Amino acid sequence: MFLKNYILDIYKAIKSLLVGLRRTGYYFTHHKEIITQQYPDNRATLSLPERFKGEVVMPHDDNNEHRCTGCTACELACPNGTIKVITQFDITPEGKKKKAIDKLVYHLELCTMCNLCIIACPSDAIKMAQTFEHSVFDRSELTKILNKPGSKIMDGVE
Ligand code: SF4
Ligand code: SF4
């Protein structure tokens, strides 16, 4: 009985090995079907899936203007406190007080890339970027201010 099981195990192992080798041999002759990426050697040609999410960012235009009104909807939508919106009051040309963003603080180290903040933003002020090489030696570097220094809100965004 023991010998029978022993031989059976060897048979199964060889069969499993051949199945694996068959698959390997297949890819030797079907290079275009290989989906494994040779990262990091292929940085220049790396292809990420369209829906891959790597980081929340706030786009700015050539005039250093963004679309963030400081409404805090993203902060409220975030399930784990990754975003903190710090607001201030600007004075409009008409002399009225208007709420504006001071800093949008984003803790990348907490972000689960759930996309809820992006969906909640009524002004399309933030989006997901596909950057993903986020390793740092100092964790504080993962706390980012998304609005650039000296930036302001675009005209017409309320
Ligand atoms: S993607 Fe999700 S976890 Fe990250 S900041 Fe937005 S709501 Fe928060
Ligand atoms: S990023 Fe969008 S949701 Fe967040 S404060 Fe700015 S305008 Fe509001």
Side-chain angles (χ1 to χ4, degrees), residues 122-136:
S123 314
D124 287 333
I126 47 177
K127 68 171 194 172
M128 280 289 180
Q130 292 205 313
T131 40
F132 63 92
E133 291 176 315
H134 297 310
S135 302
V136 287

Side-chain angles (χ1 to χ4, degrees), residues 56 77-80 82-83 106 110-117 128:
V56 176
C78 181
N80 58 2
T82 298
I83 286 180
Y106 170 60
L110 297 178
C111 185
T112 61
M113 313 299 163
C114 69
N115 209 46
L116 291 175
C117 55
M128 280 289 180

Side-chain angles (χ1 to χ4, degrees), residues 69-81:
T69 61
C71 71
T72 70
C74 53
E75 181 180 333
L76 292 171
C78 181
N80 58 2

Side-chain angles (χ1 to χ4, degrees), residues 63-123:
N63 299 320
N64 200 20
E65 292 175 342
H66 55 72
R67 299 181 59 83
C68 180
T69 61
C71 71
T72 70
C74 53
E75 181 180 333
L76 292 171
C78 181
N80 58 2
T82 298
I83 286 180
K84 176 77 188 154
V85 182
I86 302 170
T87 55
Q88 61 186 12
F89 282 100
D90 285 347
I91 305 296
T92 65
E94 296 81 39
K96 289 183 182 164
K97 273 187 174 178
K98 187 179 174 194
K99 190 167 154 185
I101 187 175
D102 177 18
K103 290 188 181 82
L104 193 148
V105 185
Y106 170 60
H107 294 279
L108 175 56
E109 76 277 20
L110 297 178
C111 185
T112 61
M113 313 299 163
C114 69
N115 209 46
L116 291 175
C117 55
I118 312 293
I119 294 167
C121 178
S123 314

Side-chain angles (χ1 to χ4, degrees), residues 134-151:
H134 297 310
S135 302
V136 287
F137 286 104
D138 181 355
R139 198 165 65 170
S140 68
E141 290 174 37
L142 297 174
T143 299
K144 305 185 179 203
I145 310 295
L146 297 196
N147 52 315
K148 291 183 185 170
S151 61

